[in-house]
Amino acid sequence: MIYKKLDKSLIVLFACFTVVTGCKKWDDHNAVTDAALTKNLFEQISSNSALSKFTELLTKSGYDKVIASSKTFTVFAPTNTALASLDAAIVNDTARLRKFVGNHIANQSYFTTASIAKTRILMLNGKYQNLLLKNIDNAPITESDKYANNGVLQVIDKMLPVLDNAWEALQNNQAIPAGQKAYMLSLFRKIFDPANAVQTGVNPSTGQPIYQPGTDSLQTNLFWRNVYDMRDESKEYSLFILNDAAWTLEVNKFKPFFATGTADSTTDLSRWCVVKDLAVEGAYTTLPDTLFSKFDVKVPVQKTAIVQTIKTSNGNIYIMSKVDVQPKDKIKQFYIEGEKYRTTSADRRGNTYFRDRYNAVTGKDFSDVLVFNHGLALFNINYRISDVYSMKYKAYWVAVNDFQTAAFNQRLSMGSPTATAFAATSVTANNFKEVYIGEFTLATYQSVYDIYLVAANSTTAAVNPLVCDYIRLEPSF
């Protein structure tokens, strides 16, 4: 019993010692950090003589009160030396000064020790900066992770100028070549926008809503909608702008693939074909020799063709004397799944089978469509493809006849079910290989184009089946 009481007494004494020691360590911790935590960010900055010019700008812009509040901020404070070259016009313009000072302040706390990967952080002026280790954009952080009671102070030896974003630079920078710029600025359109539309009634005839005029449309740019919205400050982009001679040369290169009824429409289509692949997501310290566009087009980057680099708040604009994209890299083949048809010449759903098969030649599973015993001569299945260039194509299909021993004929028909670009092709039993059908030339560009798989001119079940795994149209250059 005595030993048990002694054990308990020792445990109590050890616990008390631990508490006292722990309190001492906490007191030591507070003794180290309390000096910094008694000041807010503005007080920290204004007490540093090397930051006196930035202190003046904070006061003049009104941001002194912002960073003295109870909210949490990170301030990237440029030294007096870094601010020596600041344009007086910025200092004397209230709006420009607030944008400039706000470009150095971020909500939340950001520490250099946590930025082992590039972090894109939102500044109070709506712009973004890249933080990586002890660098904010191109400015080295000379004094890092200094605590205040409402955030973190980072001292930098370069100021952070307020830059245009990529779209603003396209519009405003005098160095941007005229030709491509004019085309990209011509892409503004009004589109229907139900999200902001104010409904005033319902059309009694159609049951469709009636909207207040002016509220149901949105002014936008086709490049923003279909490629990249280069106003987006949260992301980074690389935009290539061809000088006028290179722009004309590249547009003319693709005109033969957009033969239409008018020269203007051919030119316009060719311009879009070129421009949609001249932007990529991401900013590069060093450009690679090849980039891939949003549409998976191979874009060669010749370093000697870079005339000028314009830094923007969300990436870089490269003015180029040449970007030689090859037609074979831009113009892709069409791969049409047989079971994904659009319409049929008659309703024969009861005779239509969607099959799952294994192809021993390719070693892969596949799905196809079979229409059997439909009882119609020249029964056909319709497929529709879009953006079909004016050029020659080679046609192939995989059509697996594993349901009867007799061969039968079926035909591809281009543009209409009665077109005769291709003769009937025999579908022999148990052939799992791709079959070459022939080639055809499309004289004019088609925004949409119909293709038909046509059965034999017979009503006999064994003679007029249709079967298709896929149809492939390969551009022939």
Side-chain angles (χ1 to χ4, degrees), residues 276-326:
K276 69 182 179 65
D277 295 311
L278 293 181
V280 297
E281 193 167 347
Y284 295 86
T285 304
T286 302
L287 280 168
D289 293 333
T290 301
L291 291 168
F292 286 86
S293 76
K294 178 180 179 179
F295 307 98
D296 200 31
V297 171
K298 182 180 177 181
V299 181
V301 181
Q302 189 174 324
K303 307 295 193 304
T304 57
I306 301 174
V307 176
Q308 184 178 347
T309 302
I310 300 172
K311 181 175 172 54
T312 73
S313 63
N314 60 346
N316 296 303
I317 294 176
Y318 300 94
I319 298 176
M320 308 292 293
S321 63
K322 180 181 182 181
V323 175
D324 188 15
V325 178
Q326 296 301 304

Side-chain angles (χ1 to χ4, degrees), residues 265-286:
S265 60
T266 293
T267 299
D268 196 53
L269 288 165
S270 184
R271 285 172 176 167
W272 177 254
C273 180
V274 171
V275 82
K276 69 182 179 65
D277 295 311
L278 293 181
V280 297
E281 193 167 347
Y284 295 86
T285 304
T286 302

Side-chain angles (χ1 to χ4, degrees), residues 141-170:
I141 298 172
T142 55
E143 296 181 51
S144 61
D145 303 339
K146 299 175 71 68
Y147 289 89
N149 64 15
N150 65 337
V152 185
L153 171 62
Q154 312 282 6
V155 179
I156 58 178
D157 70 357
K158 288 183 181 180
M159 58 184 171
L160 303 174
V162 180
L163 301 176
D164 282 345
N165 62 44
W167 191 263
E168 290 168 338
L170 172 73

Side-chain angles (χ1 to χ4, degrees), residues 242-275:
L242 301 177
N243 66 24
D244 290 346
W247 171 248
T248 300
L249 186 68
E250 196 71 2
V251 169
N252 287 341
K253 181 200 299 182
F254 287 94
K255 280 183 179 180
F257 303 104
F258 292 99
T260 64
T262 68
D264 286 347
S265 60
T266 293
T267 299
D268 196 53
L269 288 165
S270 184
R271 285 172 176 167
W272 177 254
C273 180
V274 171
V275 82

Side-chain angles (χ1 to χ4, degrees), residues 124-142:
L124 294 192
N125 67 347
K127 298 288 183 178
Y128 283 73
Q129 300 288 351
N130 293 323
L131 179 64
L132 176 60
L133 299 175
K134 291 193 175 184
N135 288 277
I136 178 74
D137 198 51
N138 291 329
I141 298 172
T142 55

Side-chain angles (χ1 to χ4, degrees), residues 337-374:
E337 294 284 2
E339 68 275 17
K340 296 180 180 179
Y341 57 85
R342 178 171 168 265
T343 61
T344 59
S345 58
D347 185 354
R348 288 296 184 269
R349 281 174 285 185
N351 306 95
T352 302
Y353 307 92
F354 301 100
R355 312 187 306 167
D356 293 324
R357 289 288 188 270
Y358 172 74
N359 190 321
V361 175
T362 64
K364 296 179 180 179
D365 295 326
F366 69 96
S367 300
D368 70 1
V369 64
L370 166 65
V371 188
F372 185 76
N373 197 24
H374 51 77

Side-chain angles (χ1 to χ4, degrees), residues 69-129:
S69 69
S70 59
K71 294 182 179 179
T72 303
F73 303 97
T74 300
V75 179
F76 299 90
T79 62
N80 295 340
T81 304
L83 289 170
S85 60
L86 179 62
D87 189 347
I90 295 175
V91 179
N92 296 324
D93 185 316
T94 302
R96 292 180 68 188
L97 179 61
R98 280 192 62 82
K99 285 183 180 178
F100 175 78
V101 176
N103 207 41
H104 295 76
I105 307 170
N107 279 311
Q108 305 178 25
S109 295
Y110 291 96
F111 296 93
T112 60
T113 52
S115 61
I116 57 175
K118 184 172 78 172
T119 305
R120 195 150 173 82
I121 61 177
L122 175 62
M123 314 308 283
L124 294 192
N125 67 347
K127 298 288 183 178
Y128 283 73
Q129 300 288 351

